[in-house]
């Protein structure tokens, strides 16, 4: 019936497929946003005349959640470019902070990495010893240049155009990191004057409250 609710339709589909109704969601198409309010009727959702719907694995997000598309970020090596590999989807609220997303992604990342290991792929990071403070979250949307997202910001303010399918990249660092409002993200490009070589840039986190003398001392120790 066109006046059936989406929940009723999903229950009927689940029964025909022999699957758990609570672990399915419905969308117009494969990459289209999922329907979240399943109390609405097919007529309310404009589905009364549609002959095809996408049924996917995974429970639907709540009305105030968005399904993010996570990618695993690998920094550029010498002469190369940064890479982002599709990993998995993860629900999050727009009012959640970037820090809370970092905390929530630890277990899903471990699960994803273990699935890759089971499939015979190379280990991407220390799965068992992974800590949430090692995660650096970046904007994975095209044209955003993998900008680093700061802990104190909400996802809605940090990710312009937040909606289902919004792309986010996660990088695994060798050490713990917490970005404060005073921290600056600087692109360092070493230049050897004697040879005229300008090397590929790398990111460096530095507190804006540090003195130039202190920064120079650290850079001297780092590149001498």
């Amino acid at each position: 019936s066109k006046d059936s609710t989406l929940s009723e339709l999903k229950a009927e589909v689940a029964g025909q497929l022999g699957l758990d109704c609570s672990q399915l969601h419905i969308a117009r198409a494969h990459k289209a946003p999922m329907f979240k309010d399943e109390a609405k009727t097919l007529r309310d959702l404009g589905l009364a005349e549609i002959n095809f719907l996408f049924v996917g694995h995974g429970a639907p997000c709540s009305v105030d959640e968005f399904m993010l598309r996570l990618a695993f970020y690998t920094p550029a090596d010498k002469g190369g470019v940064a890479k982002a590999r599709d990993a998995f989807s993860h629900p999050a609220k727009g009012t959640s902070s970037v820090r809370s997303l970092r905390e929530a992604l630890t277990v899903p990342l471990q699960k994803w990495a273990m699935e890759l290991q089971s499939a015979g792929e190379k280990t991407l990071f220390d799965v068992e010893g992974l800590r949430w403070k090692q995660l650096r979250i970046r904007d994975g949307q095209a044209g955003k240049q993998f900008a680093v997202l700061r802990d104190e910001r909400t996802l809605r303010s940090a990710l312009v155009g937040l909606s289902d399918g919004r792309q986010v990249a996660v990088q695994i660092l060798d050490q713990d990191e917490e970005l404060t409002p005073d921290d600056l993200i600087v692109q360092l490009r070493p230049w050897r004057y004697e040879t005229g070589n300008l090397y590929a840039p790398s990111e460096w986190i530095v507190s804006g409250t540090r003195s130039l003398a202190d920064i120079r001392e650290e850079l001297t120790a780092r590149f001498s």
Side-chain angles (χ1 to χ4, degrees):
S1 168
K2 297 178 181 180
D3 292 315
S4 298
T5 64
L6 196 62
S7 177
E8 292 170 340
L9 173 63
K10 192 174 74 168
E12 183 176 344
V13 171
Q16 293 179 5
L17 297 176
L19 298 174
D20 181 358
C21 176
S22 66
Q23 294 304 308
L24 298 177
H25 64 267
I26 294 179
R28 289 181 182 272
H30 173 44
K31 292 188 177 181
M34 66 173 65
F35 293 111
K36 301 172 184 178
D37 187 353
E38 297 186 342
K40 290 187 176 181
T41 67
L42 301 182
R43 194 185 303 277
D44 292 336
L45 295 169
L47 302 176
E49 306 301 331
I50 290 181
N51 297 319
F52 174 86
L53 287 173
F54 174 80
V55 179
H57 287 290
C61 296
S62 62
V63 176
D64 60 346
E65 286 184 321
F66 299 94
M67 188 62 75
L68 303 176
R69 288 177 56 196
L70 271 293
F72 184 80
Y73 176 89
T74 304
D77 52 15
K78 293 183 178 180
V81 296
K83 300 178 182 178
R85 173 182 179 176
D86 286 339
F88 53 88
S89 296
H90 182 80
K93 294 184 178 181
T95 54
S96 298
S97 66
V98 173
R99 172 174 173 154
S100 68
L101 178 62
R102 293 172 69 197
E103 294 172 342
L105 285 178
T106 306
V107 173
L109 274 169
Q110 290 172 317
K111 181 180 178 181
W112 174 71
M114 288 188 288
E115 290 174 351
L116 294 181
Q117 289 179 351
S118 299
E121 295 198 32
K122 181 181 178 181
T123 302
L124 299 173
F125 53 86
D126 178 11
V127 178
E128 294 184 359
L130 183 66
R131 302 178 301 278
W132 72 265
K133 290 184 179 182
Q134 290 178 263
L135 308 188
R136 178 183 284 176
I137 306 300
R138 297 173 176 271
D139 192 336
Q141 196 82 333
K144 298 300 183 180
Q145 308 301 319
F146 294 111
V148 178
L149 307 186
R150 294 177 179 273
D151 285 347
E152 77 279 2
R153 298 189 65 184
T154 65
L155 295 181
R156 189 180 300 280
S157 66
L159 299 170
V160 177
L162 180 61
S163 61
D164 287 335
R166 187 64 163 80
Q167 295 176 313
V168 176
V170 57
Q171 177 184 358
I172 308 297
L173 304 174
D174 294 329
Q175 68 286 328
D176 291 352
E177 175 181 273
E178 289 188 77
L179 290 176
T180 70
D182 291 330
D183 289 331
L184 303 175
I185 303 171
V186 180
Q187 291 283 340
L188 289 180
R189 294 202 68 180
W191 177 45
R192 293 201 176 277
Y193 176 78
E194 299 83 358
T195 61
N197 291 335
L198 183 64
Y199 296 93
S202 61
E203 290 173 334
W204 184 44
I205 309 298
V206 59
S207 173
T209 60
R210 293 178 62 182
S211 68
L212 289 177
D214 185 31
I215 292 174
R216 181 176 182 179
E217 182 179 347
E218 181 175 340
L219 289 176
T220 300
R222 180 171 181 173
F223 294 109
S224 59

